[in-house]
Amino acid sequence: MSGQLSANQRGHNVLAIAACCLGLGSLLFISVGMAGLLALPVRALIPLLLGTGCAVVLGAVGLKRIKANGQRGRGLAIAGCGAGAAGFLLVSVVVATLSSGL
């Protein structure tokens, strides 16, 4: 038997899974806050900026490792990057609006 794993034996990339969870979780938290169901103070938005930024970075690193190692999870990494970027943009607009006093 050769040293290579078959397609069924290769697991999903952990960074891609983390990026997807972090990005989608942040978007869920932002949408609940924007719907008025949860009062989000400005100090709660700063960790969201970090979380969404981390989702983008983890997704990008995950994509690179998936390509290099032939692992699974490309869609998860792309979803994490997209959700993280959308969340980062949304939170940065909200923080800029709240800090300007509008």
Side-chain angles (χ1 to χ4, degrees):
M1 190 169 228
S2 68
Q4 296 197 5
L5 298 174
S6 70
N8 290 334
Q9 293 173 327
R10 285 182 295 221
H12 286 83
N13 186 285
V14 176
L15 294 177
I17 295 170
C20 189
C21 291
L22 197 55
L24 293 177
S26 296
L27 271 184
L28 179 65
F29 192 71
I30 293 165
S31 64
V32 167
M34 294 239 176
L37 300 175
L38 181 65
L40 289 178
V42 175
R43 64 179 177 266
L45 295 175
I46 303 302
L48 279 174
L49 276 174
L50 294 174
T52 54
C54 286
V56 173
V57 170
L58 288 175
V61 173
L63 277 172
K64 186 176 180 181
R65 288 191 181 176
I66 287 168
K67 187 175 182 180
N69 299 338
Q71 291 178 313
R72 299 169 65 186
R74 183 173 183 268
L76 292 171
I78 292 171
C81 283
F88 188 83
L89 180 67
L90 195 60
V91 172
S92 60
V93 167
V94 169
V95 167
T97 304
L98 289 176
S99 65
S100 70
L102 291 178

XYZ file of all heavy atoms in Angstrom:
688
model
N 0.842 -1.177 0.000
C 0.000 0.000 0.000
C 0.886 1.239 0.000
O 1.868 1.321 0.711
C -0.885 -0.029 1.241
C -1.965 1.016 1.215
S -3.157 0.742 2.528
C -4.614 0.889 1.567
N 0.545 2.218 -0.823
C 1.351 3.436 -0.916
C 1.078 4.352 0.282
O 0.128 4.168 1.030
C 1.056 4.171 -2.222
O -0.262 4.671 -2.189
N 1.908 5.370 0.443
C 1.795 6.279 1.578
C 0.722 7.344 1.408
O 0.503 8.143 2.295
N 0.033 7.346 0.268
C -0.979 8.372 0.041
C -2.336 7.893 0.506
O -2.658 6.718 0.418
C -1.024 8.739 -1.430
C 0.266 9.377 -1.895
C 0.073 10.107 -3.198
O -1.031 10.213 -3.686
N 1.159 10.607 -3.753
N -3.115 8.855 1.016
C -4.462 8.545 1.494
C -5.459 8.690 0.357
O -5.305 9.529 -0.522
C -4.844 9.483 2.635
C -3.988 9.417 3.893
C -4.404 10.503 4.862
C -4.101 8.065 4.550
N -6.501 7.877 0.397
C -7.550 8.008 -0.603
C -8.410 9.224 -0.273
O -8.302 9.814 0.792
C -8.413 6.747 -0.640
O -9.183 6.655 0.540
N -9.287 9.576 -1.188
C -10.141 10.758 -0.998
C -11.051 10.604 0.217
O -11.364 11.580 0.887
C -10.975 10.994 -2.259
N -11.474 9.390 0.523
C -12.349 9.174 1.675
C -11.601 9.217 3.001
O -12.193 9.424 4.042
C -13.083 7.837 1.544
C -14.118 7.853 0.456
O -14.648 8.913 0.118
N -14.401 6.704 -0.104
N -10.301 8.985 2.975
C -9.522 8.963 4.212
C -8.981 10.339 4.593
O -8.598 10.544 5.728
C -8.350 7.986 4.070
C -8.789 6.554 3.965
C -7.620 5.636 3.657
O -6.686 6.015 2.962
N -7.676 4.421 4.176
N -8.927 11.268 3.656
C -8.442 12.611 3.962
C -9.523 13.355 4.722
O -10.668 13.415 4.298
C -8.114 13.385 2.692
C -6.834 12.925 2.054
C -6.553 13.763 0.854
N -7.603 13.512 -0.138
C -7.390 13.385 -1.430
N -6.201 13.525 -1.901
N -8.366 13.149 -2.246
N -9.146 13.971 5.825
C -10.112 14.707 6.625
C -10.231 16.147 6.173
O -9.483 16.634 5.340
N -11.201 16.804 6.762
C -11.387 18.225 6.506
C -10.298 19.019 7.214
O -9.842 18.648 8.289
C -12.764 18.683 6.999
C -13.883 18.241 6.128
N -14.450 16.998 6.212
C -14.536 18.888 5.147
C -15.408 16.896 5.319
N -15.488 18.034 4.660
N -9.920 20.115 6.635
C -8.922 20.989 7.223
C -9.530 21.674 8.439
O -10.606 22.258 8.363
C -8.473 22.017 6.187
C -7.345 22.869 6.684
O -7.553 23.747 7.499
N -6.157 22.602 6.175
N -8.839 21.613 9.568
C -9.335 22.167 10.826
C -9.444 23.687 10.750
O -10.387 24.276 11.295
C -8.423 21.732 11.996
C -8.846 22.367 13.283
C -8.410 20.226 12.117
N -8.507 24.326 10.063
C -8.560 25.780 9.935
C -9.772 26.221 9.124
O -10.371 27.260 9.416
C -7.277 26.303 9.295
C -6.004 26.125 10.107
C -4.803 26.615 9.322
C -6.106 26.842 11.427
N -10.138 25.448 8.122
C -11.319 25.767 7.324
C -12.582 25.651 8.167
O -13.483 26.501 8.074
C -11.402 24.845 6.112
N -12.652 24.635 8.996
C -13.808 24.463 9.874
C -13.890 25.613 10.866
O -14.961 26.189 11.095
C -13.742 23.111 10.602
C -13.851 21.961 9.592
C -14.822 23.000 11.660
C -13.553 20.605 10.169
N -12.755 25.976 11.459
C -12.730 27.079 12.423
C -13.112 28.393 11.760
O -13.857 29.200 12.346
C -11.347 27.183 13.059
N -12.636 28.639 10.547
C -12.968 29.874 9.832
C -14.458 29.960 9.546
O -15.082 31.013 9.730
C -12.177 29.949 8.530
N -15.036 28.851 9.126
C -16.463 28.831 8.825
C -17.292 29.077 10.084
O -18.223 29.881 10.081
C -16.835 27.509 8.171
S -18.503 27.473 7.522
N -16.949 28.411 11.164
C -17.686 28.585 12.422
C -17.547 30.010 12.953
O -18.532 30.618 13.377
C -17.195 27.591 13.468
S -17.611 25.894 13.106
N -16.348 30.537 12.908
C -16.101 31.883 13.419
C -16.790 32.937 12.560
O -17.424 33.859 13.079
C -14.596 32.135 13.473
C -14.090 33.283 14.310
C -14.573 33.172 15.748
C -12.573 33.306 14.288
N -16.699 32.795 11.255
C -17.332 33.764 10.357
C -18.838 33.733 10.435
O -19.490 34.777 10.569
N -19.425 32.545 10.374
C -20.882 32.449 10.421
C -21.435 32.781 11.805
O -22.501 33.386 11.933
C -21.334 31.059 9.980
C -21.071 30.737 8.508
C -21.482 29.306 8.199
C -21.789 31.703 7.597
N -20.698 32.403 12.856
C -21.123 32.763 14.215
C -21.111 34.260 14.437
O -22.024 34.816 15.056
N -20.097 34.926 13.910
C -20.033 36.382 14.024
C -21.164 37.039 13.253
O -21.789 37.988 13.741
C -18.689 36.894 13.505
O -17.641 36.429 14.299
N -21.447 36.544 12.059
C -22.562 37.098 11.284
C -23.893 36.897 11.990
O -24.753 37.779 11.975
C -22.619 36.459 9.901
C -21.823 37.122 8.802
C -22.073 36.418 7.470
C -22.118 38.582 8.677
N -24.069 35.755 12.622
C -25.299 35.501 13.371
C -25.425 36.472 14.539
O -26.487 37.054 14.764
C -25.317 34.057 13.877
C -26.527 33.644 14.697
C -27.784 33.676 13.832
C -26.337 32.276 15.294
N -24.341 36.685 15.266
C -24.345 37.603 16.399
C -24.624 39.030 15.938
O -25.380 39.768 16.569
C -23.008 37.525 17.137
C -23.005 38.206 18.461
C -23.699 37.682 19.527
C -22.305 39.385 18.637
C -23.699 38.311 20.761
C -22.290 40.024 19.858
C -22.990 39.486 20.922
N -24.040 39.431 14.805
C -24.262 40.768 14.266
C -25.710 40.939 13.833
O -26.336 41.965 14.113
C -23.308 41.033 13.079
C -21.868 41.091 13.559
C -23.665 42.316 12.351
C -20.850 40.999 12.443
N -26.266 39.947 13.152
C -27.639 40.065 12.670
C -28.642 40.111 13.819
O -29.630 40.840 13.748
C -27.968 38.924 11.706
O -27.921 37.684 12.380
N -28.376 39.372 14.875
C -29.260 39.429 16.046
C -29.180 40.812 16.687
O -30.194 41.389 17.082
C -28.884 38.322 17.065
C -29.557 38.559 18.401
C -29.269 36.958 16.523
N -27.983 41.368 16.756
C -27.811 42.694 17.319
C -28.460 43.774 16.472
O -29.060 44.712 16.988
N -28.360 43.647 15.154
C -28.949 44.647 14.267
C -30.468 44.546 14.239
O -31.135 45.527 13.943
C -28.394 44.487 12.865
C -26.950 44.787 12.761
S -26.769 46.085 11.598
C -25.035 46.362 11.711
N -31.002 43.393 14.531
C -32.455 43.230 14.551
C -33.053 43.831 15.813
O -34.265 43.887 15.947
C -32.822 41.758 14.447
N -32.202 44.268 16.734
C -32.704 44.884 17.951
C -33.019 43.885 19.048
O -33.548 44.259 20.085
N -32.713 42.629 18.823
C -32.995 41.627 19.836
C -31.948 41.627 20.941
O -32.170 41.101 22.015
C -33.064 40.234 19.196
C -34.121 40.060 18.115
C -33.998 38.690 17.478
C -35.508 40.264 18.682
N -30.815 42.219 20.657
C -29.710 42.232 21.599
C -29.043 43.598 21.518
O -28.662 44.033 20.438
C -28.715 41.126 21.227
C -27.487 40.932 22.074
C -27.887 40.488 23.478
C -26.599 39.889 21.457
N -28.962 44.289 22.634
C -28.323 45.600 22.638
C -26.808 45.407 22.598
O -26.225 44.853 23.525
C -28.729 46.379 23.877
N -26.194 45.834 21.512
C -24.753 45.669 21.354
C -24.051 46.981 21.677
O -24.142 47.937 20.907
C -24.408 45.258 19.929
C -24.775 43.862 19.502
C -24.407 43.658 18.041
C -24.081 42.839 20.350
N -23.369 47.073 22.803
C -22.571 48.276 23.045
C -21.339 48.273 22.146
O -20.968 47.242 21.582
C -22.174 48.154 24.517
C -22.239 46.701 24.803
C -23.308 46.134 23.907
N -20.714 49.416 22.006
C -19.553 49.531 21.115
C -18.435 48.609 21.571
O -17.742 48.018 20.748
C -19.073 51.001 21.053
C -17.811 51.122 20.237
C -20.158 51.873 20.471
N -18.270 48.441 22.881
C -17.183 47.575 23.354
C -17.416 46.105 22.993
O -16.486 45.316 23.000
C -16.975 47.738 24.858
C -18.121 47.306 25.697
C -17.816 47.494 27.186
N -18.955 47.150 27.980
C -19.865 48.016 28.401
N -19.754 49.282 28.105
N -20.874 47.613 29.132
N -18.639 45.727 22.659
C -18.902 44.357 22.207
C -18.600 44.199 20.718
O -18.440 43.083 20.233
C -20.347 43.976 22.484
N -18.543 45.317 20.008
C -18.287 45.237 18.575
C -16.800 45.066 18.253
O -16.456 44.519 17.216
C -18.821 46.491 17.876
C -20.334 46.668 17.932
C -20.722 48.001 17.327
C -21.052 45.536 17.226
N -15.934 45.521 19.145
C -14.499 45.411 18.903
C -14.058 43.935 18.843
O -13.343 43.546 17.919
C -13.693 46.209 19.943
C -14.112 47.684 19.935
C -12.204 46.048 19.732
C -13.967 48.387 18.616
N -14.487 43.073 19.785
C -14.139 41.643 19.630
C -14.731 41.015 18.364
O -14.139 40.101 17.793
C -14.711 40.987 20.880
C -14.797 42.074 21.877
C -15.087 43.309 21.096
N -15.878 41.539 17.919
C -16.441 41.033 16.668
C -15.537 41.382 15.489
O -15.395 40.593 14.556
C -17.839 41.601 16.435
C -18.969 40.905 17.177
C -20.276 41.650 16.976
C -19.108 39.477 16.721
N -14.933 42.572 15.518
C -13.976 42.927 14.472
C -12.804 41.956 14.468
O -12.358 41.509 13.413
C -13.459 44.352 14.684
C -14.303 45.485 14.132
C -13.725 46.823 14.542
C -14.409 45.395 12.629
N -12.313 41.629 15.650
C -11.201 40.676 15.741
C -11.631 39.285 15.276
O -10.884 38.597 14.575
C -10.674 40.618 17.170
C -10.021 41.896 17.693
C -9.683 41.750 19.168
C -8.794 42.226 16.889
N -12.824 38.869 15.669
C -13.316 37.543 15.283
C -13.520 37.403 13.786
O -13.142 36.388 13.191
N -14.090 38.429 13.177
C -14.302 38.356 11.731
C -12.976 38.441 10.978
O -12.798 37.771 9.960
C -15.256 39.466 11.262
O -14.754 40.736 11.701
C -16.654 39.259 11.803
N -12.048 39.241 11.498
C -10.713 39.294 10.882
C -9.999 37.958 10.979
O -9.337 37.516 10.030
N -10.126 37.313 12.127
C -9.526 35.980 12.309
C -10.157 34.958 11.365
O -9.468 34.061 10.864
C -9.675 35.522 13.752
S -8.582 36.370 14.888
N -11.457 35.077 11.117
C -12.121 34.151 10.200
C -11.536 34.271 8.795
O -11.307 33.259 8.123
C -13.624 34.417 10.174
N -11.263 35.501 8.371
C -10.679 35.707 7.042
C -9.270 35.106 6.980
O -8.919 34.411 6.022
C -10.658 37.212 6.684
C -9.897 37.457 5.401
C -12.082 37.748 6.572
N -8.471 35.365 8.011
C -7.096 34.864 8.032
C -7.077 33.334 8.091
O -6.336 32.673 7.346
C -6.311 35.475 9.210
C -4.976 34.801 9.395
C -6.143 36.970 9.005
N -7.890 32.752 8.964
C -7.941 31.290 9.070
C -8.412 30.651 7.767
O -7.908 29.606 7.357
C -8.856 30.867 10.222
C -8.339 31.094 11.631
C -9.419 30.747 12.645
C -7.094 30.290 11.888
N -9.402 31.277 7.123
C -9.885 30.753 5.853
C -8.823 30.790 4.771
O -8.673 29.847 3.996
N -8.063 31.894 4.726
C -7.006 32.009 3.715
C -5.891 31.000 3.956
O -5.413 30.342 3.014
C -6.446 33.426 3.719
N -5.476 30.841 5.208
C -4.433 29.857 5.535
C -4.960 28.437 5.277
O -4.235 27.576 4.770
C -3.947 30.033 6.992
C -3.001 28.919 7.391
C -3.289 31.383 7.171
N -6.221 28.214 5.616
C -6.820 26.910 5.355
C -6.852 26.575 3.880
O -6.559 25.441 3.473
N -7.200 27.557 3.045
C -7.204 27.334 1.590
C -5.816 26.976 1.081
O -5.658 26.098 0.228
C -7.710 28.587 0.870
C -9.214 28.751 0.774
C -9.564 30.116 0.204
C -9.827 27.652 -0.057
N -4.806 27.667 1.611
C -3.438 27.385 1.183
C -3.030 25.960 1.571
O -2.429 25.235 0.780
C -2.494 28.402 1.809
C -1.075 28.287 1.331
C -0.204 29.386 1.906
C 1.213 29.236 1.410
N 2.089 30.260 1.956
N -3.368 25.548 2.786
C -3.008 24.194 3.236
C -3.806 23.130 2.506
O -3.303 22.034 2.242
C -3.225 24.074 4.740
C -2.189 24.831 5.533
C -2.263 24.496 6.984
N -1.285 25.248 7.750
C -1.184 25.196 9.054
N -2.003 24.430 9.751
N -0.270 25.907 9.664
N -5.071 23.426 2.188
C -5.897 22.473 1.442
C -5.286 22.221 0.071
O -5.204 21.084 -0.388
C -7.347 22.994 1.330
C -8.049 22.879 2.680
C -8.121 22.252 0.258
C -9.371 23.618 2.755
N -4.836 23.296 -0.566
C -4.222 23.153 -1.886
C -2.913 22.375 -1.808
O -2.620 21.534 -2.658
C -3.980 24.532 -2.495
C -3.511 24.491 -3.914
C -3.409 25.884 -4.491
C -2.969 25.805 -5.936
N -2.868 27.146 -6.529
N -2.131 22.641 -0.756
C -0.825 21.986 -0.626
C -0.947 20.517 -0.229
O -0.204 19.674 -0.727
C 0.031 22.726 0.404
N -1.872 20.204 0.673
C -1.971 18.850 1.218
C -3.050 17.996 0.572
O -3.129 16.802 0.853
C -2.246 18.909 2.735
C -1.138 19.601 3.490
O -0.016 19.683 3.026
N -1.466 20.117 4.655
N -3.902 18.581 -0.235
C -4.980 17.814 -0.853
C -6.084 17.443 0.111
O -6.784 16.459 -0.102
N -6.241 18.221 1.175
C -7.297 17.940 2.147
C -8.648 18.399 1.620
O -8.749 19.040 0.579
C -6.998 18.645 3.472
C -5.826 18.083 4.220
C -5.555 18.863 5.489
O -5.534 20.086 5.463
N -5.364 18.158 6.578
N -9.674 18.076 2.377
C -11.023 18.495 2.047
C -11.352 19.754 2.834
O -10.673 20.110 3.771
C -11.999 17.380 2.397
C -11.724 16.105 1.607
C -12.480 14.934 2.119
N -13.906 15.145 1.926
C -14.842 14.333 2.393
N -14.504 13.280 3.086
N -16.104 14.571 2.183
N -12.432 20.451 2.438
C -12.898 21.611 3.184
C -12.732 22.931 2.467
O -12.782 23.986 3.074
N -12.534 22.875 1.152
C -12.342 24.119 0.399
C -13.564 25.025 0.512
O -13.436 26.238 0.697
C -12.064 23.792 -1.066
C -11.778 24.997 -1.911
C -11.340 24.582 -3.329
N -10.991 25.738 -4.106
C -11.842 26.397 -4.895
N -13.089 25.975 -5.012
N -11.454 27.453 -5.570
N -14.750 24.461 0.431
C -15.981 25.248 0.550
C -16.137 25.881 1.919
O -16.622 27.014 2.042
N -15.728 25.151 2.957
C -15.781 25.708 4.309
C -14.848 26.899 4.447
O -15.196 27.916 5.062
C -15.408 24.634 5.334
C -16.383 23.483 5.519
C -15.758 22.405 6.395
C -17.660 23.988 6.151
N -13.664 26.785 3.871
C -12.695 27.885 3.947
C -13.198 29.102 3.177
O -13.063 30.236 3.653
C -11.347 27.431 3.409
N -13.787 28.886 2.029
C -14.321 29.994 1.242
C -15.494 30.644 1.964
O -15.611 31.874 2.004
C -14.723 29.514 -0.169
C -13.471 29.138 -0.951
C -15.526 30.575 -0.905
C -13.746 28.461 -2.272
N -16.362 29.830 2.565
C -17.492 30.379 3.332
C -16.998 31.175 4.533
O -17.547 32.236 4.848
C -18.406 29.243 3.786
N -15.964 30.695 5.195
C -15.399 31.425 6.327
C -14.806 32.751 5.910
O -14.996 33.767 6.587
N -14.086 32.760 4.782
C -13.518 34.013 4.269
C -14.616 35.001 3.892
O -14.539 36.186 4.224
C -12.645 33.743 3.050
S -11.042 33.062 3.417
N -15.618 34.523 3.199
C -16.708 35.406 2.761
C -17.516 35.952 3.914
O -17.801 37.156 3.982
N -17.882 35.079 4.847
C -18.656 35.529 6.008
C -17.832 36.451 6.894
O -18.336 37.451 7.419
C -19.142 34.325 6.811
N -16.555 36.146 7.045
C -15.684 37.003 7.839
C -15.512 38.372 7.211
O -15.544 39.392 7.900
N -15.333 38.413 5.897
C -15.177 39.696 5.207
C -16.458 40.525 5.280
O -16.413 41.732 5.532
C -14.771 39.459 3.760
N -17.605 39.878 5.082
C -18.879 40.594 5.169
C -19.118 41.115 6.589
O -19.543 42.259 6.784
C -20.023 39.680 4.736
N -18.832 40.283 7.563
C -18.993 40.704 8.958
C -18.050 41.825 9.331
O -18.428 42.775 10.025
N -16.806 41.744 8.867
C -15.827 42.790 9.153
C -16.277 44.117 8.559
O -16.213 45.162 9.212
C -14.457 42.402 8.608
C -13.355 43.329 9.021
C -12.746 43.177 10.254
C -12.936 44.352 8.196
C -11.730 44.024 10.651
C -11.920 45.206 8.581
C -11.321 45.042 9.819
N -16.754 44.090 7.327
C -17.225 45.301 6.674
C -18.431 45.879 7.408
O -18.489 47.082 7.672
C -17.572 45.003 5.213
C -18.068 46.174 4.394
C -16.949 47.191 4.209
C -18.563 45.701 3.045
N -19.363 45.027 7.765
C -20.574 45.465 8.460
C -20.258 46.056 9.827
O -20.751 47.135 10.182
C -21.530 44.277 8.594
C -22.967 44.563 8.953
C -23.613 45.444 7.913
C -23.726 43.257 9.065
N -19.418 45.392 10.598
C -19.085 45.880 11.934
C -18.260 47.156 11.853
O -18.464 48.086 12.649
C -18.338 44.795 12.745
C -17.815 45.345 14.054
C -19.269 43.634 13.021
N -17.354 47.249 10.895
C -16.549 48.466 10.787
C -17.412 49.661 10.415
O -17.184 50.768 10.914
C -15.405 48.275 9.797
O -15.904 47.970 8.518
N -18.434 49.479 9.583
C -19.359 50.568 9.259
C -20.157 50.968 10.499
O -20.341 52.163 10.773
C -20.294 50.159 8.091
C -21.456 51.119 7.947
C -19.519 50.062 6.805
N -20.617 49.997 11.268
C -21.382 50.298 12.484
C -20.511 51.020 13.502
O -20.946 52.007 14.115
C -21.983 49.004 13.081
C -22.549 49.246 14.459
C -23.046 48.447 12.161
N -19.287 50.568 13.695
C -18.382 51.222 14.651
C -18.077 52.644 14.196
O -18.082 53.578 15.008
C -17.089 50.388 14.833
C -16.027 51.188 15.557
C -17.391 49.117 15.573
N -17.840 52.840 12.910
C -17.555 54.189 12.406
C -18.771 55.097 12.576
O -18.633 56.279 12.942
C -17.153 54.116 10.936
N -19.960 54.564 12.358
C -21.184 55.362 12.517
C -21.405 55.714 13.973
O -21.733 56.870 14.292
C -22.397 54.591 11.963
O -22.154 54.241 10.609
C -23.652 55.413 12.063
N -21.241 54.753 14.861
C -21.462 55.016 16.287
C -20.407 55.954 16.869
O -20.712 56.767 17.731
C -21.474 53.703 17.070
C -22.683 52.807 16.851
C -22.510 51.500 17.624
C -23.962 53.507 17.266
N -19.179 55.832 16.407
C -18.131 56.694 16.947
C -18.209 58.123 16.415
O -17.716 59.050 17.040
C -16.755 56.102 16.679
O -16.523 56.076 15.287
N -18.838 58.310 15.244
C -18.980 59.666 14.702
C -20.177 60.394 15.294
O -20.326 61.587 15.098
C -19.085 59.615 13.181
O -20.323 59.048 12.804
N -21.035 59.677 16.002
C -22.167 60.307 16.673
C -23.425 60.415 15.839
O -24.334 61.155 16.170
N -23.520 59.704 14.737
C -24.726 59.764 13.909
C -25.853 58.973 14.478
O -25.888 58.044 15.076
C -24.419 59.276 12.486
C -23.533 60.202 11.676
C -23.263 59.571 10.320
C -24.170 61.553 11.478
